[in-house]
Amino acid sequence: MKVLIKYIRIFLSPVFYKQIITAFRLFIHGNVFGIMSLGGRGEGVVILPSAKLANAHNIILGNHTTVNRSVYLWAGRNSKIIIGDYSGISPCAFIISSNHGIKANQHFKDQEHNEADVVIGKDVWIGAYAVILPGVHIGDGAIIAAGSVVTKDVAPYTIAGGVPARKIADRT
């Protein structure tokens, strides 16, 4: 009975409804509106509902690309994220083309953003929880291991992994 009363109190709480409204707004803004305003989208693109797209007008997705659950694509205001045909992005990956500056005498929020395009080739597989930072180019056919942090370019048909990511093997 105590558990039932607890859930009734939660259900009647204004905080509960505020959280629902906030979650709905975030979904509409980050996913639905983002998909509608993509800079380019090829045929057969799949974007799962919990993916988030920031500055979607600067995101270009090639044919038959899959953007999985909880993926975050964060394009800069002046930089793009370009993903080639038949590429797949596993759950919880984070791709960003803009970041704060790192000057010592300013608060990070007051600094200009460092922006550089992220270009991901065709037939690339980005593993779960991978992070790809601004300015990175990933060649066609590459694989990025789960949990990797990619700070530098990855050659075509290379398997890269680690923190920071480096070549593990060639894809044959």
Side-chain angles (χ1 to χ4, degrees):
M1 189 65 171
K2 286 185 179 183
V3 173
L4 179 62
I5 292 172
K6 176 182 171 184
Y7 284 114
I8 290 172
R9 280 186 178 165
I10 290 171
F11 186 72
L12 296 176
S13 167
V15 173
F16 175 75
Y17 292 100
K18 183 178 179 183
Q19 290 293 326
I20 289 175
I21 291 167
T22 300
F24 182 74
R25 283 182 45 230
L26 288 172
F27 171 73
I28 294 298
H29 178 73
N31 188 281
V32 175
F33 180 72
I35 291 170
M36 291 172 52
S37 61
L38 277 168
R41 181 170 83 179
E43 294 179 17
V45 170
V46 175
I47 302 172
L48 293 178
S50 58
K52 300 288 184 235
L53 310 171
N55 294 316
H57 61 280
N58 283 334
I59 298 172
I60 299 168
L61 302 175
N63 296 322
H64 306 286
T65 296
T66 300
V67 178
N68 220 305
R69 290 174 177 80
S70 301
V71 167
Y72 208 127
L73 301 178
W74 186 329
R77 290 187 179 121
N78 302 309
S79 59
K80 296 182 183 297
I81 295 174
I82 302 168
I83 301 173
D85 299 342
Y86 295 95
S87 292
I89 306 171
S90 298
C92 302
F94 189 89
I95 302 172
I96 183 170
S97 69
S98 176
N99 208 347
H100 292 282
I102 56 171
K103 295 177 184 172
N105 298 332
Q106 278 184 301
H107 297 291
F108 78 94
K109 287 186 176 187
D110 297 333
Q111 296 187 35
E112 290 185 24
H113 283 129
N114 298 325
E115 295 194 19
D117 293 347
V118 172
V119 180
I120 297 171
K122 297 177 182 177
D123 190 33
V124 172
W125 175 20
I126 308 293
Y129 292 95
V131 176
I132 300 174
L133 297 177
V136 169
H137 291 197
I138 298 174
D140 293 346
I143 296 174
I144 306 301
S148 299
V149 178
V150 184
T151 60
K152 296 180 182 174
D153 292 356
V154 176
Y157 299 97
T158 299
I159 300 172
V163 180
R166 58 184 159 246
K167 181 178 178 178
I168 296 172
D170 289 316
R171 183 176 174 194
T172 57

